[in-house]
Amino acid sequence: MRLTRRLAAALIAAPLLVPVPSWAADDPAVQTVRDLYAAFTAALKDGPGPLPARVDAVGPALDKAFDFPAMTRIAVGAKWSSFTPEQQAAVIEAFKRSLTVTYANRLARAAGGKFDVTPKVEERGAQRVVATRVTASDGDDSEVDFVVNASNRIQDVLLNGDVSEVAAQRNALSAPLKSGGADGVVKFLRQRADGMLAAKPTP
């Protein structure tokens, strides 16, 4: 599966409200996405490079753009309230690292492609959706929409309008959460990130 079809592999479903489009090139939600894509482009300017270098290059931008605590809380679901503050902090940190490595890993397939941001914001209650298009070097492209919250932080990523990053993460966490609780989730997320970092690059 190509980068653009993985890039937004799942999120919480978009709120069931009728979207109201508005044109706002200077909307801070749009700027959040522009800044993120600028970091992606900079990280790929000399080619994809090794994964650890990509993680270092895009990590600060992802940390600034994404609301990792909110994403983690939604991905864990109802059991979140049963975690201690220390457990919540550990899960958030592991979730952030895992998703950062995941995005850095996917970026390898975007080298030579382009990221286009449409200055069209769809209002969905307190959230706004920023539409973008990611084009791979072979010309394949997909719509990648960012769900931005009231704090102008990304809370979800949607592929072609309906495939949610957070929903995919929630699905992935269900088994370790059921079997091991907070500790099981942290272990799973750490192992997933470590596995990607240890994998040999595809020739």
Side-chain angles (χ1 to χ4, degrees):
M1 187 179 294
R2 301 184 188 281
L3 157 79
T4 51
R5 293 196 173 94
R6 289 182 177 177
L7 190 62
L11 260 226
I12 54 173
L16 300 178
L17 297 173
V18 177
V20 179
S22 62
W23 291 92
D26 58 348
D27 191 295
V30 174
Q31 193 58 50
T32 293
V33 178
R34 288 191 191 280
D35 290 346
L36 179 64
Y37 275 169
F40 287 174
T41 300
L44 297 172
K45 64 183 177 63
D46 296 321
L51 178 55
R54 292 198 302 276
V55 172
D56 291 341
V58 303
L62 286 165
D63 194 23
K64 179 180 179 182
F66 279 71
D67 189 339
F68 284 114
M71 294 174 75
T72 307
R73 184 175 66 252
I74 295 167
V76 169
K79 289 190 176 181
W80 180 258
S81 61
S82 68
F83 294 175
T84 67
E86 292 76 18
Q87 287 175 323
Q88 291 178 348
V91 174
I92 290 170
E93 185 59 32
F95 184 92
K96 178 174 74 173
R97 177 173 178 262
S98 177
L99 205 59
T100 297
V101 174
T102 297
Y103 271 75
N105 191 41
R106 293 171 182 167
L107 273 180
R109 301 175 185 84
K114 62 179 181 178
F115 307 94
D116 296 315
V117 181
T118 301
K120 178 182 180 181
V121 178
E122 289 186 358
E123 303 286 348
R124 295 184 180 180
Q127 298 178 327
R128 286 156 292 163
V129 178
V130 179
T132 80
R133 183 170 294 276
V134 178
T135 305
S137 58
D138 62 1
D140 182 64
D141 61 9
S142 289
E143 296 176 6
V144 180
D145 299 337
F146 291 85
V147 180
V148 181
N149 62 24
S151 298
N152 297 311
R153 305 284 293 281
I154 295 166
Q155 191 169 309
D156 203 352
V157 185
L158 305 173
L159 177 63
N160 293 327
D162 57 5
V163 181
S164 159
E165 181 74 78
V166 167
Q169 297 300 322
R170 184 167 188 166
N171 184 62
L173 296 181
S174 62
L177 180 63
K178 183 177 181 179
S179 63
D183 292 342
V185 170
V186 170
K187 180 179 179 181
F188 169 79
L189 291 169
R190 287 175 177 172
Q191 289 179 339
R192 184 167 68 176
D194 290 343
M196 285 185 282
L197 289 167
K200 293 182 178 180
T202 303

